[in-house]
Amino acid sequence: MTPSRPTKPHPPGAEARHGGTNADSPDKIARETLRRLALRKIPPTPDNYREMYFQIRGSADADAFPTRALKAIANGLPRTTPAETRNAQAFDAAIASGKWPELQRVITDLHTSRSDGGKAWGALIRDLSLQCERLHVELTQIGKREALGIAGLSESVGELLDDTRGVQESTLRARQELTELRKLTDKTTHEIARLHSELDVASRLIRHDPLTGALNRRGLDEALVREISRMTRQGGSLCIALIDIDNFKRFNDLYGHNTGDEALCHLTRTLSGALRPQDVVARYGGEEFIILLPDTSPKAANAILARLQRELSHRIFRAPDGERLSITFSAGITRILPGEQAEASIARADEAMYAAKRAGKNRVLVAV
């Protein structure tokens, strides 16, 4: 088996050369330089930018100090006499400083004193001068190319800033539109809530008695339709009770209609507080009230009405002068038969109520 050849490491700048980046225009290299600095989270200082730029381009920084080339020249300087040694050491020190002004000073001194150094120094100084001149030409050409790259970069940055401003303006407009839309939505939501509230109030006024808060005749009719329909679907027993306050006319004559109205409200509060949540209380007219008792047999309904009478007797009602007054009612109960009209059931309960009054009042009778 033939051993595989070891892979040679890529020289500096190989990545950029193989990627073809060095063939790109300076503005493209500049864009890529900014992108890589951002990806690597390197501050875009001039030195960092320059180093990354030449790394991507695949060439050395031409503005950098040519230490290697200068050392090669220094190695060829004569060092036989003390003067030559001093001059060579001065040249070495200038190279080690890495500063162009220091190198220029040493070259000038060498050129001035070359008559003392012989032909070798003169030839080397001419060679160094040619090297520097050639380097100057290269730097000038590279500087022109870099100037073009910087100009392209400036144009690209300008376009980027224009795009950024455009995005900011669009974002600001969208935020303003969203704010206005949110305000409009809030206003609409409040308006809908207000309309719902007014609708609830209107619905209550339509279906409830304004004095007592119990259902009125319209509310009672809707409750009868609902409960009769539920009884038809699910079965069970639905009872209806009609109650009438005893001696209410004499009550009004003795204590006034305002006190009579307070008595009606007192009765409504007592009934509503003692009944089950599914039971329905409605003012049928005057001092008459109807109670719907779903899922209740006539016997159970009779017990419920008797309990309501006891509850009413325990709750104190007083006249405006503070006198304690007794409020009682008589009631008739009947079961709503399947397929029967509600009016027929109410009429049967009404007959039972009047029979209770004739029997002595403050009584509850179940219709046969």
Side-chain angles (χ1 to χ4, degrees), residues 161-299:
L161 290 176
D162 290 339
D163 293 342
T164 301
R165 280 192 293 268
V167 172
Q168 290 176 341
E169 292 173 358
S170 300
T171 302
L172 180 60
R173 286 195 301 269
R175 185 180 293 110
Q176 291 173 345
E177 292 175 359
L178 182 61
T179 300
E180 293 298 325
L181 182 60
R182 184 179 293 111
K183 290 180 180 178
L184 180 61
T185 302
D186 293 341
K187 182 179 179 181
T188 304
T189 301
H190 291 318
E191 183 66 17
I192 292 175
R194 184 184 65 81
L195 292 175
H196 273 300
S197 178
E198 292 179 357
L199 183 61
D200 291 340
V201 172
S203 177
R204 182 172 181 81
L205 291 176
I206 292 174
R207 294 174 174 79
H208 289 77
D209 175 52
L211 175 63
T212 62
L215 292 178
N216 57 18
R217 292 291 289 268
R218 179 171 181 172
L220 174 63
D221 290 342
E222 292 178 357
L224 281 168
V225 171
R226 182 179 66 251
E227 293 301 330
I228 290 174
S229 176
R230 191 170 69 88
M231 179 194 67
T232 302
R233 293 193 313 271
Q234 301 178 3
S237 176
L238 173 62
C239 284
I240 183 170
L242 193 150
I243 69 176
D244 184 272
I245 297 178
D246 296 327
N247 305 315
F248 189 70
K249 182 179 182 307
R250 186 166 63 87
F251 192 96
N252 277 337
D253 294 339
L254 289 176
Y255 303 104
H257 290 280
N258 288 338
T259 303
D261 289 344
E262 288 296 327
L264 293 174
C265 294
H266 177 75
L267 174 63
T268 303
R269 289 192 296 269
T270 301
L271 297 178
S272 299
L275 288 171
R276 302 168 301 179
Q278 66 267 30
D279 299 332
V280 177
V281 179
R283 187 180 180 189
Y284 193 57
E287 68 274 20
E288 291 183 336
F289 291 82
I290 282 182
I291 302 176
L292 294 181
L293 301 168
D295 301 319
T296 305
S297 65
K299 181 179 180 181

Side-chain angles (χ1 to χ4, degrees), residues 134-153:
R134 184 167 60 255
L135 179 61
H136 176 72
V137 172
E138 292 179 358
L139 290 176
T140 302
Q141 293 175 349
I142 292 174
K144 290 180 179 179
R145 291 197 300 271
E146 295 307 316
L148 293 175
I150 292 174
L153 175 61

Side-chain angles (χ1 to χ4, degrees), residues 64-67 69-71 73-74 77 87-111 125 128-129 131-132 135:
F65 196 79
T67 302
L70 292 174
K71 283 185 177 180
I73 294 174
L77 291 175
N87 290 334
Q89 290 176 347
F91 191 71
D92 291 338
I95 296 174
S97 69
K99 298 179 181 179
W100 286 106
E102 182 67 18
L103 181 62
Q104 183 181 4
R105 184 187 64 79
V106 172
I107 293 173
T108 301
D109 292 344
L110 291 175
H111 183 74
I125 290 174
L128 182 59
S129 298
Q131 293 261 6
C132 290
L135 179 61

